[in-house]
Amino acid sequence: MTETSFIERFENLEEKLILRFKNHSVLSSLRKLTNNQFEEILIQRAFLSILGFTPFYDLASVGIENKEAKDLVKNLIREEYPIGKSSHREDLMTDLQLIGIKKEKVLGRTPSQETIISLYNLYELVKFGSPHYDVKAITALRMAGEVLVAEEYDLLIKEIKSRYKINPKELVFYYPHFVHDRKSKGIGLNKTHSDRLLLILKNNINSKNKLEAAIDSMEEALKVKNNFYNQFIKE
């Protein structure tokens, strides 16, 4: 099997996993939720961003040995905290307040037990010591931190527009993250976070064992994301 066919198999499976995620019963039925139910999803999802992103990427950056990947991951962390501007966490709070969710409704409470478990499971995705760690960690970051994030923000943005009559481009967190996290069709111009991480994977998934490690990491990432949304399924 050639290196090209390795990455083709990787991307083909990724498309199937993306579709499974978008078809989650909660994400595919956002329109049926009450405002309180939808806003609870936004609040719990905010905790994943506020408490999860930086340590998730930090853990991977310490363990990854590939210099190009390590530098990219550290750069992605730095982008979250631009000098002289609001951090992405602060931008998230701005969007929530635009929707009508007061700061104290988010910061004055603790995450749900299910969200705390999701945070723990994110960290588990990049736990050091597994075979082909670089491939597994980079894949986990790309799938759980970029590709699937763009897919869920796409759905959340559309619901925010419909429900609250807010122009997506007024959103200073959700819309920019959708744009810079999403996967281009094909390799594209390698401008988005997903594309830049994919380029590194293209150069590193060069054996059957590494492909299997990447596939395992993608599937585990999907499981973590789906389990987060499972908490909103009503009996």
Side-chain angles (χ1 to χ4, degrees), residues 5 7-17 183:
S5 60
I7 204 64
E8 284 176 353
R9 284 186 59 190
F10 174 88
E11 288 198 271
N12 287 339
L13 176 61
E14 182 178 68
E15 287 298 323
K16 294 177 182 177
L17 297 182
K183 172 186 176 181

Side-chain angles (χ1 to χ4, degrees), residues 11-72:
E11 288 198 271
N12 287 339
L13 176 61
E14 182 178 68
E15 287 298 323
K16 294 177 182 177
L17 297 182
I18 289 171
L19 185 59
R20 280 169 50 189
F21 180 60
K22 292 168 68 175
N23 285 333
H24 188 283
S25 61
V26 172
L27 288 172
S28 62
S29 304
L30 294 175
R31 185 81 291 244
K32 298 179 181 179
L33 302 176
T34 66
N35 283 356
N36 285 340
Q37 289 170 334
F38 180 65
E39 289 168 15
E40 180 62 16
I41 290 175
L42 295 180
I43 290 168
Q44 294 301 325
R45 185 60 186 80
F47 282 125
L48 281 190
S49 293
I50 295 168
L51 301 175
F53 181 89
T54 302
F56 181 41
Y57 278 61
D58 267 335
L59 282 169
S61 72
V62 174
I64 290 171
E65 294 184 357
N66 179 282
K67 185 180 184 305
E68 182 184 9
K70 186 185 287 286
D71 287 346
L72 174 55

Side-chain angles (χ1 to χ4, degrees), residues 3-181:
E3 290 184 20
T4 300
S5 60
F6 285 135
I7 204 64
E8 284 176 353
R9 284 186 59 190
F10 174 88
E11 288 198 271
N12 287 339
L13 176 61
E14 182 178 68
E15 287 298 323
K16 294 177 182 177
L17 297 182
I18 289 171
L19 185 59
R20 280 169 50 189
F21 180 60
K22 292 168 68 175
N23 285 333
H24 188 283
S25 61
V26 172
L27 288 172
S28 62
S29 304
L30 294 175
R31 185 81 291 244
K32 298 179 181 179
L33 302 176
T34 66
N35 283 356
N36 285 340
Q37 289 170 334
F38 180 65
E39 289 168 15
E40 180 62 16
I41 290 175
L42 295 180
I43 290 168
Q44 294 301 325
R45 185 60 186 80
F47 282 125
L48 281 190
S49 293
I50 295 168
L51 301 175
F53 181 89
T54 302
F56 181 41
Y57 278 61
D58 267 335
L59 282 169
S61 72
V62 174
I64 290 171
E65 294 184 357
N66 179 282
K67 185 180 184 305
E68 182 184 9
K70 186 185 287 286
D71 287 346
L72 174 55
V73 172
K74 289 191 288 188
N75 186 57
L76 295 180
I77 296 170
R78 284 192 291 268
E79 285 183 12
E80 299 288 311
Y81 306 95
I83 301 298
K85 298 180 181 180
S86 57
S87 72
H88 289 190
R89 308 296 155 258
E90 293 167 308
D91 289 340
L92 172 55
M93 193 56 57
T94 297
D95 280 358
L96 293 177
Q97 290 176 299
L98 179 64
I99 290 165
I101 302 173
K102 294 182 179 180
K103 185 181 289 188
E104 54 266 29
K105 194 172 181 181
V106 182
L107 302 181
R109 58 182 291 189
T110 56
S112 68
Q113 186 62 36
E114 293 86 353
T115 297
I116 291 171
I117 291 170
S118 292
L119 286 165
Y120 172 81
N121 288 335
L122 272 179
Y123 308 151
E124 283 290 296
L125 290 176
V126 291
K127 183 170 66 176
F128 188 74
S130 58
H132 310 297
Y133 177 79
D134 279 13
V135 166
K136 291 199 74 168
I138 296 165
T139 301
L141 294 181
R142 183 171 180 274
M143 193 67 170
E146 309 291 345
V147 172
L148 295 183
V149 169
E151 296 296 337
E152 63 186 307
Y153 285 176
D154 183 32
L155 296 172
L156 294 177
I157 288 167
K158 288 173 180 174
E159 185 58 29
I160 290 168
K161 178 182 178 182
S162 172
R163 191 178 289 260
Y164 304 102
K165 312 306 178 189
I166 295 173
N167 185 321
K169 292 188 178 180
E170 293 181 60
L171 299 168
V172 295
F173 175 82
Y174 292 109
Y175 185 75
H177 277 75
F178 161 67
V179 171
H180 71 225
D181 290 350

